[in-house]
Amino acid sequence: AYLSGPVVLNSSGTTLDVRGALLMLPRGRYPEVPPLPLVSNARPLRDLRLTGGGTIGNADLARALEWWGCKLSGCWRPHLAVLSAVAGVRIDGGLTFLNAPNHNVELDNCS
């Protein structure tokens, strides 16, 4: 398992292969400036694949609940994955998104 801040994919043809767990840093350690999801892309890309039999998110529900207090107070909560302007996105079924602070996956202008 890897405890991580934001992962930004910058190259077309990239495969993010999660075999174990890609877990979010706790709320007090997760960088909020700039506000980035756990997995995202910074520019338009082609042929991006998220795969593996692993987990992206928060393995511990208590960590996710730390973020959900922000829904009431209005502070920022990250998505687990946001992909924007990707031609040829593929998310394989064996990947698990778990205990998102906000949405699990958001696709914007992707095909």
Side-chain angles (χ1 to χ4, degrees), residues 22-46:
L22 179 61
L23 304 175
M24 292 184 74
L25 287 169
R27 183 169 180 256
R29 293 181 46 207
Y30 194 89
E32 294 187 25
V33 177
L36 293 172
L38 183 56
V39 177
S40 67
N41 61 300
R43 59 189 179 85
L45 298 176
R46 291 178 289 97

